[in-house]
Amino acid sequence: MRFDLTDLRLFLHIAETGSITAGAERSAMALASASARIRGMEEALGIPLLERGRRGARPTPAGRAVVHHARQVMHQLERMRGELNDYAKGLKGHVRLLSNTAAINEFLPDALAGFLAANPNIDIDLEERPSHAIVEAVAAGLADLGVVADMVDLAGLETRPFRSDRLVLVVPRGHRLAGGGAVAFADTLDEPFVGLSTGSALQEYLNSHAARAGRSLSFRVRVRGPVALCRLVERGVGIGIVPEMAAQRARESAALQVVPLSDPWAPRVLMLCARRFDELSAHARRLVEDLTAQPPVLAPPEPLSGP
């Protein structure tokens, strides 16, 4: 068995993305080369490591064992890099961070910009996923850290508060749902929605709450981010739900009305999670310290309304 670090890193990327093509791209490798490496691993072991299908590739039971050990090898490599960093200034560290929509749009850009500027020897692989998928990936050792909403089941992981967040309803000026105080999510489900694009962690979160009410959201259009969503709502295309900070930014120049949601899941604390913080690499621990330096504070909702 002659697996090198490139083989193991590639296999992890395939397991994380569910695709040989996407795993090869993340590894900066040609598809033919990646496929040949995987075949070489399977031939060396004499068993298949991936189940290949039209929807991608996923590890077999033997492949899951390879993922487990490959992640341990990569984790030890990162720990070594962190411990040697003071002696080898040119040594690069790498942290894999998964985040939900709210954190990746509203909080992480500024926080990571400052951290990366102060730590030029650390690279961060940041990816958006729904909170439940982040918990599964961190628990399985497929990511170092995750930022998730506190409503998700975090059993088995260690957590630290990161930031506070509140979801609000945005409607066009004069809409029937505006002006009467907080609104329950269930009371919005007969309205046409401007939604976030497929794959958005926040949109999947909202879709799941609609499904629990036995309904589904009716989308007029779906867009990539909260800013575009608010612009379309302003023009009367439909209503939408976004983080409060995004609504506050948009209302500075948009004729929006912003309505609090009365549901208990609307106000959230975003949590930073890991399998064990004390087992992280020195680079990842440094990032944890930086991201949790400001304790989250969730202020009471203010009466938001457009001009």
Side-chain angles (χ1 to χ4, degrees):
M1 215 174 39
R2 295 182 179 179
F3 299 167
D4 60 23
L5 292 176
T6 302
D7 291 333
L8 296 179
R9 188 176 288 109
L10 168 65
F11 198 80
L12 277 178
H13 288 165
I14 292 171
E16 290 164 359
T17 61
S19 163
I20 297 176
T21 301
E25 290 176 357
R26 183 174 288 182
S27 303
M29 187 181 298
L31 177 58
S33 177
S35 298
R37 281 183 174 270
I38 297 300
R39 284 197 303 272
M41 294 175 69
E42 291 177 324
E43 289 170 2
L45 289 171
I47 50 175
L49 298 177
L50 291 174
E51 294 177 359
R52 299 161 175 84
R54 287 184 297 176
R55 295 188 176 183
R58 60 179 184 177
T60 63
R64 289 195 292 272
V66 172
V67 167
H68 171 72
H69 290 288
R71 188 62 195 170
Q72 286 187 324
V73 170
M74 294 302 162
H75 179 70
Q76 287 300 115
L77 181 60
E78 287 301 327
R79 287 180 66 93
M80 181 186 71
R81 283 175 173 164
E83 292 171 7
L84 291 177
N85 184 65
D86 290 338
Y87 306 99
K89 295 300 182 183
L91 198 60
K92 277 277 190 178
H94 178 271
V95 180
R96 179 160 167 74
L97 172 64
L98 305 181
S99 171
N100 67 358
T101 304
I104 213 167
N105 279 296
E106 304 302 325
F107 302 108
L108 284 173
D110 288 341
L112 293 182
F115 177 82
L116 291 169
N119 296 273
N121 63 320
I122 300 177
D123 292 335
I124 296 175
D125 179 9
L126 176 62
E127 182 180 337
E128 179 182 349
R129 290 195 190 181
S131 290
H132 68 86
I134 294 172
V135 168
E136 292 172 3
V138 173
L142 297 178
D144 301 299
L145 297 166
V147 180
V148 300
D150 62 348
M151 304 299 286
V152 73
D153 184 3
L154 288 159
L157 298 181
E158 293 185 351
T159 62
R160 295 184 187 177
F162 171 55
R163 297 289 189 275
S164 61
D165 167 50
R166 180 185 285 112
L167 299 178
V168 296
L169 179 71
V170 289
V171 300
R173 189 193 323 205
H175 193 275
R176 70 172 186 87
L177 293 174
V183 172
F185 178 62
D187 294 334
T188 72
L189 297 179
D190 290 328
E191 296 286 331
F193 269 78
V194 178
L196 295 170
S197 58
T198 302
S200 161
L202 174 55
Q203 194 58 65
E204 290 190 25
Y205 182 69
L206 296 173
N207 292 347
S208 69
H209 279 289
R212 289 174 191 170
R215 303 286 300 278
S216 61
L217 298 179
S218 174
F219 296 108
R220 295 294 312 283
V221 65
R222 301 179 72 161
V223 295
R224 289 189 63 84
V227 174
L229 185 153
C230 288
R231 292 290 179 266
L232 288 167
V233 169
E234 174 195 9
R235 287 165 171 76
V237 173
I239 67 173
I241 294 176
V242 296
E244 186 176 29
M245 286 183 63
Q248 288 174 339
R249 283 202 311 274
R251 69 172 182 148
E252 292 176 1
S253 59
L256 290 177
Q257 289 185 270
V258 185
V259 183
L261 288 170
S262 62
D263 301 83
W265 47 262
R268 310 181 295 176
V269 175
L270 301 178
M271 308 295 292
L272 190 66
C273 63
R275 296 176 77 179
R276 287 283 304 272
F277 286 112
D278 60 359
E279 292 180 356
L280 292 171
S281 68
H283 299 116
R285 291 198 303 271
R286 190 177 304 172
L287 178 60
V288 170
E289 293 169 3
D290 193 81
L291 293 180
T292 57
Q294 300 178 30
V297 177
L298 189 63
E302 55 178 299
L304 302 175
S305 60

